């Protein structure tokens, strides 16, 4: 039954949505559907065509499942032949609606509108379940029920739009999807309540085009098989968990899959959880099964489900959803015929921009890919393994944060505090723990208190910045690798034919010189000279520091180094006079992501002018840190690191990305969509603030104070102190004396810095079930 007859209130809202939504989002993505060249390499699907993208409830990874925004947005940002998925349920009067569950308890405001006292208890899959069930309400009663976000780890900020419940006819007629998929999950449940899903499906298919119909119930599919031509409407058996019982045959789904010829008698394909194809054990991918090839031999299409970019992925994928999709569609052995996803933008770019890329494909984008402690997303930072992985991943510039040992050996480690990147807190060296306010407000065991031999014997520990969200990095290798001296690092880099340069990062130079009698600057210059970097042009040398005095010291050496000034806090702007000042001692500037695209509760609020101002004086701008974990990204980037990188590169025009997952950025530079005259929507930069416009006033996040403006006083510093001949005892805080004021992280006081910078907080919703 049409929305216009049964849901007049819904239709009014839908009509308004259709008029306003494209206008609001026209600047958010280019409404261009360009599929590019998919004939460069044969697809291993059953048809030989690219696999389909099936959007479960639309773009349900961001908007409420089955809402108008979700369906419309999925069509806008996906491949041209995207298929919209509708979980169809029946109301008391037999009207079909698109909703992900039998009960309205979750993902709607039904409890407040219909009244919780109208709940019923029914057996669902043999389990007594209490709820406000669709079968207890006529369609007219649902006119005032609104869809809401049902996954509590995803943002609920769009719930104020009062999304109406849609019928299958609404979805097809309003959003004109290239393909439409009906999923019938509980035919037996409706049959027990004298409602015929079979009659509904046969009836609705005469009114709208339905390309796929799926169900986990063999009996339902067999009952309609003779009524559909598989050339226009394909029936798909939805396979549940291996030990679940299929109610018609009384067999487990695992057993059913052993008889694919039987399935072929009533279906054109199967839809299986992705782990049926690539099993996972302890978070790691196991050898692939033969299911895809077996299905194709039986002339069955096979679709993979349960793709969620905002859930922990297998560690093999390094939290990169594009890598996961490629493992199912471009692995050299097989390809599924489609994927069922909550985030259709990611498989769209995987299929159209990244699949079948030549290993030697040329870069299509300019930004330098600079490592953050090597490939520290996969191995303990600054170890030989992290550096080797970064090189093999295609990094352009390999980084080394230089620390100094007690005996004056420069080496690479992510922090001067050994607790952060080693297991030293589990050793007898814990007696060396102390607090040095000039370096950190927290206790630490510092590099300059141990000899290099002692440090080299420590066990590395992988960094997991998102561990509070239970997102851990590569546990199998969390303590693997060895640390390198600076000369060893330079030799490793020099022997690589693919690197364009090395970045040497220096902090705490003033403290080390004054308090420890250690000159990190002399150590760096000496190491570069002895390893031949002063007499070669194949690799450039970048010297980065948050201390202008350090960079001025290097400039006085008159070496051909690129000097990079690191702004160590988030800023909202930079004075023109400050840009001129920076230009006097630096060639480039490193800033944080939020200094370019600030956020409020993980929503982009609009760009700053920081990049433009710095580049106006030919200062290159590098931005950090690009991580793959979805909690490190704004909602606007759809839990996809590639979307984030593309938006900073193509939208903000940055010159380099600093990343702990260099493979993702290096692959991005080679994607074929960058060569298109008009980028497809899934490779267009997001427009900052566009999502915020879709949040109603009552759901807007509270405004936050902007980050400070970088001014001349923040950059100016006194000259570095001379290196003491005999280091005095370190300033240890034992609580008996007043604490001196804490300085900037580089240990070098700024002139007139005032109260310093404010940190821009990224408020991230807690993970409970599945974000962004």
């Amino acid at each position: 039954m049409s929305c216009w007859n049964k849901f007049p209130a819904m239709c009014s809202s839908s009509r308004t949505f259709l008029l306003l939504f494209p206008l609001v989002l026209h600047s958010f993505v280019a409404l261009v559907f360009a599929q590019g060249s998919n004939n460069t390499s044969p697809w291993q699907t059953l048809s030989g065509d690219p696999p389909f993208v099936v959007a479960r409830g639309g773009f349900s990874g961001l908007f409420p499942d089955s809402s108008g925004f979700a369906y419309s947005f999925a069509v806008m940002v996906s491949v041209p032949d995207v298929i919209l998925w509708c979980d169809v349920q029946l109301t008391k009067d037999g009207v079909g609606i698109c909703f992900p569950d039998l009960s309205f308890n979750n993902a709607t405001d039904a409890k407040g509108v219909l009244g919780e006292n109208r709940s019923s208890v029914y057996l669902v899959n043999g389990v007594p379940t209490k709820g406000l069930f669709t079968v207890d309400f006529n369609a007219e009663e649902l006119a005032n029920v609104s869809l809401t976000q049902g996954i509590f780890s995803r943002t609920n900020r769009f719930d104020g739009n009062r999304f109406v419940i849609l019928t299958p006819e609404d979805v097809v007629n309003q959003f004109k999807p290239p393909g439409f998929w009906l999923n019938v999950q509980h035919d037996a449940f409706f049959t027990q309540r004298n409602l015929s899903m079979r009659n509904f499906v046969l009836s609705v298919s005469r009114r709208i085009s339905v390309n796929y119909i799926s169900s986990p119930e063999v009996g339902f599919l067999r009952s309609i098989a003779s009524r559909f031509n598989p050339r226009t409407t394909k029936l798909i058996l939805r396979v549940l968990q291996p030990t679940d019982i299929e109610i018609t045959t009384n067999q487990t789904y695992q057993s059913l899959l052993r008889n694919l010829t039987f399935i072929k008698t009533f279906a054109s394909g199967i839809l299986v959880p992705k782990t049926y194809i690539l099993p996972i054990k302890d978070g790691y991918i196991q050898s692939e099964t033969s299911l895809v090839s077996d299905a194709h031999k039986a002339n069955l299409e096979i679709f993979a489900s349960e793709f969620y970019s905002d859930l922990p992925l297998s560690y093999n994928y390094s939290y990169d959803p594009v890598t996961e999709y490629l493992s199912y569609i471009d692995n050299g052995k097989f390809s599924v015929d489609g994927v069922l996803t909550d985030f259709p933008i990611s498989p769209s770019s995987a299929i159209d921009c990244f699949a079948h890329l030549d290993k030697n494909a040329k870069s299509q984008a300019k930004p330098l890919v600079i490592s953050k402690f090597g490939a520290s997303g996969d191995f303990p930072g600054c170890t030989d393994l992290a550096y080797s992985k970064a090189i093999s991943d295609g990094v352009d510039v390999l980084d080394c944060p230089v620390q100094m040992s007690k005996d004056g050996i420069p080496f690479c480690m992510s922090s001067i505090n050994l607790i952060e990147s080693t297991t030293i807190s589990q050793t007898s060296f814990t007696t060396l723990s102390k607090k040095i306010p000039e370096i950190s407000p927290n206790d630490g065991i510092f590099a300059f208190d141990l000899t290099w031999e002692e440090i080299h014997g420590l066990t590395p520990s992988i960094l997991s910045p998102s561990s509070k969200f239970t997102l851990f990095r590569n546990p199998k290798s969390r303590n693997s690798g060895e640390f390198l001296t600076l000369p060893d690092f330079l030799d490793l880099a020099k022997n690589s034919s693919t690197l364009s340069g090395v970045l040497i990062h220096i902090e705490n130079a003033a403290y080390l010189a004054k308090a420890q009698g250690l000159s990190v600057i002399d150590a760096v210059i000496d190491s570069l000279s002895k390893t031949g970097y002063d007499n070669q042009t194949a690799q450039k040398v970048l010297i980065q520091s948050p201390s202008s005095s350090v960079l001025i010291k290097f400039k006085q050496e008159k070496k051909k180094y690129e000097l990079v000034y690191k702004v160590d806090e988030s800023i909202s702007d930079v004075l023109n006079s400050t840009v001129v000042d920076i230009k006097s001692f630096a060639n480039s500037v490193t800033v944080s992501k939020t200094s370019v695209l600030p956020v409020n509760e993980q929503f982009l609020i609009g760009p700053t002018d920081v990049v433009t101002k710095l580049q106006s004086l030919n200062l290159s701008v590098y931005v950090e840190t690009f991580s793959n974990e979805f909690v490190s990204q704004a909602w606007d980037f759809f839990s996809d690191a590639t979307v984030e990188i593309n938006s900073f590169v193509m939208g903000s025009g940055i010159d380099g990305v600093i990343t702990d997952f260099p493979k993702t950025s290096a692959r991005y530079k080679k994607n074929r969509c960058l060569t298109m005259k008009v980028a497809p929507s899934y490779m267009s930069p997001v427009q900052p603030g566009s999502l915020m416009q879709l949040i109603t006033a009552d759901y807007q996040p509270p405004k936050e104070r902007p980050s400070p403006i970088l001014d001349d006083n923040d950059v100016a510093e006194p000259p570095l102190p001379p290196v003491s001949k005999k280091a005095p005892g370190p300033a240890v805080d034992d609580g008996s004396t007043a604490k001196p004021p804490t300085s900037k992280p580089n240990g070098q006081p700024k002139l007139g810095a005032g109260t310093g910078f404010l940190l821009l907080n990224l408020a991230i919703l807690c993970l409970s079930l599945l974000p962004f």
Side-chain angles (χ1 to χ4, degrees):
M1 186 171 294
S2 170
C3 160
W4 310 110
N5 295 326
K6 294 296 286 186
F7 292 91
M10 293 185 183
C11 295
S12 175
S13 175
S14 298
R15 200 179 292 120
T16 303
F17 162 73
L18 284 172
L19 292 173
L20 295 181
F21 188 60
L23 295 177
V24 174
L25 279 185
H26 80 281
S27 62
F28 184 56
V29 288
L31 302 184
V32 178
F33 297 126
Q35 191 159 2
S37 175
N38 285 317
N39 298 318
T40 57
S41 183
W43 287 96
Q44 294 176 292
T45 55
L46 183 62
S47 66
D49 296 324
F52 287 105
V53 174
V54 186
R56 193 186 71 84
F59 205 125
S60 55
L62 180 63
F63 299 110
D65 192 313
S66 305
S67 66
F69 277 24
Y71 282 127
S72 180
F73 199 65
V75 172
M76 294 168 70
V77 301
S78 304
V79 285
D81 56 355
V82 66
I83 299 170
L84 297 187
W85 166 286
C86 164
D87 276 301
V88 64
Q89 318 294 343
L90 294 179
T91 62
K92 186 176 183 179
D93 48 349
V95 175
I97 58 174
C98 295
F99 188 71
D101 198 11
L102 290 169
S103 167
F104 291 125
N105 281 24
N106 189 31
T108 71
D109 61 358
K111 288 183 180 179
V113 175
L114 302 175
E116 195 168 0
N117 61 333
R118 300 181 68 182
S119 296
S120 302
V121 177
Y122 294 120
L123 282 179
V124 179
N125 297 325
V127 179
T129 305
K130 182 179 180 180
L132 295 165
F133 286 86
T134 65
V135 296
D136 289 335
F137 302 95
N138 292 322
E140 291 183 358
E141 296 181 84
L142 304 179
N144 295 321
V145 175
S146 299
L147 300 174
T148 60
Q149 180 53 257
I151 306 300
F152 300 129
S153 58
R154 295 174 176 171
T155 182
N156 69 341
R157 293 289 178 184
F158 302 109
D159 288 356
N161 287 282
R162 297 194 57 78
F163 300 110
V164 298
I165 297 174
L166 300 173
T167 66
E169 296 97 314
D170 294 334
V171 176
V172 171
N173 294 330
Q174 294 179 23
F175 308 115
K176 313 294 183 187
F180 188 57
W181 186 310
L182 283 180
N183 180 58
V184 178
Q185 195 71 11
H186 299 284
D187 172 64
F189 176 86
F190 293 110
T191 300
Q192 292 167 4
R193 278 138 199 95
N194 297 318
L195 291 169
S196 175
M197 184 63 78
R198 179 181 183 275
N199 289 345
F200 170 78
V201 167
L202 294 176
S203 174
V204 77
S205 64
R206 290 192 290 268
R207 299 191 297 272
I208 59 174
S209 176
V210 180
N211 305 96
Y212 289 89
I213 300 173
S214 63
S215 177
E217 299 179 19
V218 170
F220 172 74
L221 293 175
R222 294 181 73 178
S223 73
I224 63 173
S226 62
R227 304 295 296 273
F228 288 97
N229 184 341
R231 293 183 179 180
T232 56
T233 303
K234 295 182 179 181
L235 304 187
I236 306 293
L237 175 65
R238 186 176 192 183
V239 176
L240 305 182
Q241 294 306 310
T243 58
D244 288 347
I245 302 296
E246 194 284 312
I247 60 174
T248 307
T249 62
N250 201 32
Q251 296 182 50
T252 65
Y253 286 96
Q254 190 173 40
S255 298
L256 269 177
L257 290 180
R258 296 191 187 107
N259 194 354
L260 294 174
T261 25
F262 167 67
I263 296 175
K264 180 61 182 175
T265 62
F266 60 86
S268 298
I270 55 177
L271 170 65
V272 302
K274 60 188 179 183
T275 51
Y276 271 83
I277 300 167
L278 293 175
I280 296 177
K281 181 179 180 182
D282 298 327
Y284 291 91
I285 294 294
Q286 307 299 298
S287 298
E288 72 272 7
T289 68
S290 61
L291 183 57
V292 175
S293 59
D294 292 344
H296 286 171
K297 288 175 184 177
N299 202 31
L300 287 168
E301 291 184 324
I302 178 168
F303 293 79
S305 66
E306 300 184 0
F307 287 93
Y308 314 105
S309 300
D310 57 353
L311 268 181
L313 308 179
S314 165
Y315 299 117
N316 301 73
Y317 305 132
S318 299
Y319 293 101
D320 179 8
V322 172
T323 297
E324 181 181 36
Y325 287 112
L326 289 174
S327 72
Y328 286 86
I329 65 173
D330 181 24
N331 55 41
K333 299 178 181 179
F334 62 82
S335 172
V336 297
D337 299 285
V339 293
L340 177 62
T341 175
D342 289 18
F343 294 85
I345 193 171
S346 297
S348 294
S349 67
I351 292 167
D352 212 23
C353 306
F354 294 103
H356 306 136
L357 277 181
D358 189 279
K359 291 183 178 179
N360 298 317
K362 295 182 179 180
S363 294
Q364 307 297 335
K366 70 174 182 178
L368 283 176
V369 178
I370 305 170
S371 68
K372 181 81 168 184
F373 318 141
S376 57
D378 296 306
F379 293 99
C382 300
T383 60
D384 55 343
L385 296 179
Y387 286 135
S388 296
K389 179 70 162 56
I391 293 171
S392 65
D393 285 345
V395 74
D396 296 315
V397 178
L398 201 63
D399 75 304
C400 169
V402 178
Q403 314 300 338
M404 296 294 290
S405 67
K406 185 177 182 179
D407 48 347
I409 304 298
F411 64 96
C412 304
M413 188 168 287
S414 60
S415 172
I416 194 172
N417 183 357
L418 302 177
I419 293 176
E420 296 182 12
S421 54
T422 74
T423 60
I424 195 171
S425 59
Q426 302 170 24
T427 71
S428 59
F429 289 119
T430 53
T431 57
L432 298 176
S433 178
K434 58 192 173 188
K435 184 180 294 183
I436 303 178
E438 288 183 66
I439 295 178
S440 171
N442 302 316
D443 287 345
I445 303 174
F446 299 98
F448 48 75
D449 283 335
L450 280 75
T451 66
W452 166 243
E453 182 179 0
E454 292 170 329
I455 292 169
H456 188 248
L458 296 175
T459 300
S461 179
I462 199 167
L463 299 169
S464 288
S466 300
S467 59
K468 66 179 179 180
F469 300 103
T470 66
L471 300 179
F472 299 98
R473 293 176 171 177
N474 195 9
K476 282 186 177 179
S477 299
R478 63 176 176 265
N479 300 122
S480 301
E482 294 185 354
F483 295 115
L484 303 178
T485 64
L486 177 57
D488 288 341
F489 164 83
L490 293 172
D491 284 336
L492 172 68
K494 194 174 182 181
N495 290 330
S496 169
S497 60
T498 58
L499 289 178
S500 62
V502 293
L503 183 146
I504 310 299
H505 181 76
I506 300 174
E507 291 191 9
N508 304 301
Y511 174 83
L512 290 172
K514 180 179 179 180
Q516 300 298 328
L518 297 169
S519 176
V520 62
I521 294 177
D522 289 345
V524 169
I525 293 174
D526 183 63
S527 296
L528 287 168
S529 176
K530 288 182 177 179
T531 51
Y533 273 82
D534 290 344
N535 303 314
Q536 59 87 47
T537 56
Q539 294 179 357
K540 63 179 178 179
V541 176
L542 293 79
I543 305 294
Q544 176 177 272
S545 179
S547 168
S548 59
S549 297
V550 168
L551 299 180
I552 291 172
K553 180 69 173 177
F554 272 97
K555 186 173 183 178
Q556 293 170 352
E557 294 293 321
K558 297 183 179 180
K559 305 285 186 180
K560 294 182 180 179
Y561 302 152
E562 178 179 333
L563 304 180
V564 186
Y565 181 63
K566 180 180 178 181
V567 181
D568 50 9
E569 301 289 356
S570 181
I571 59 174
S572 61
D573 201 353
V574 55
L575 298 181
N576 291 331
S577 60
T578 306
V579 178
V580 174
D581 190 9
I582 294 173
K583 181 64 178 178
S584 68
F585 61 82
N587 311 104
S588 311
V589 180
T590 293
V591 297
S592 66
K593 291 190 299 184
T594 53
S595 297
V596 180
L597 297 177
V599 298
N600 183 0
E601 291 198 9
Q602 277 202 287
F603 284 97
L604 298 182
I605 57 177
T608 69
D609 293 326
V610 169
V611 173
T612 302
K613 286 188 174 182
L614 292 172
Q615 290 178 340
S616 69
L617 284 186
N618 294 320
L619 286 164
S620 297
V621 180
Y622 307 139
V623 177
E624 68 175 10
T625 302
F626 288 87
S627 298
N628 284 359
E629 290 94 344
F630 59 89
V631 293
S632 70
Q633 302 150 11
W635 298 110
D636 306 64
F637 301 131
F638 317 125
S639 301
D640 188 337
T642 298
V643 176
E644 180 181 47
I645 294 165
N646 183 59
S647 297
F648 274 88
V649 172
M650 303 305 292
S652 302
I654 67 174
D655 300 291
V657 297
I658 300 176
T659 173
D660 36 19
F661 293 92
K663 183 176 182 178
T664 304
S665 296
R667 183 193 60 206
Y668 160 76
K669 292 173 60 175
K670 298 180 179 181
N671 88 76
R672 70 173 62 87
C673 291
L674 295 177
T675 65
M676 299 177 183
K677 291 183 178 179
V678 180
S681 55
Y682 35 88
M683 196 49 67
S684 297
V686 303
Q687 293 301 312
S690 292
L691 276 189
M692 190 73 87
Q693 296 177 35
L694 300 180
I695 302 175
T696 57
D698 51 331
Y699 276 82
Q700 283 281 336
K703 291 185 177 181
E704 297 179 351
R705 291 182 60 186
S707 297
I709 298 172
L710 189 69
D711 61 27
D712 299 357
N713 289 334
D714 295 318
V715 174
E717 291 180 350
L720 289 171
V723 179
S724 61
K725 294 182 180 180
K726 185 177 180 180
V732 180
D733 181 10
D734 58 4
S736 61
T737 58
K739 298 179 180 179
T742 302
S743 69
K744 290 279 182 173
N746 61 13
Q748 179 75 344
K750 308 285 186 180
L751 295 181
T755 58
F757 291 148
L758 297 173
L759 292 175
L760 183 62
N761 294 317
L762 297 177
I764 301 173
L765 298 178
C766 295
L767 301 175
S768 60
L769 177 60
L770 267 175
F772 194 92

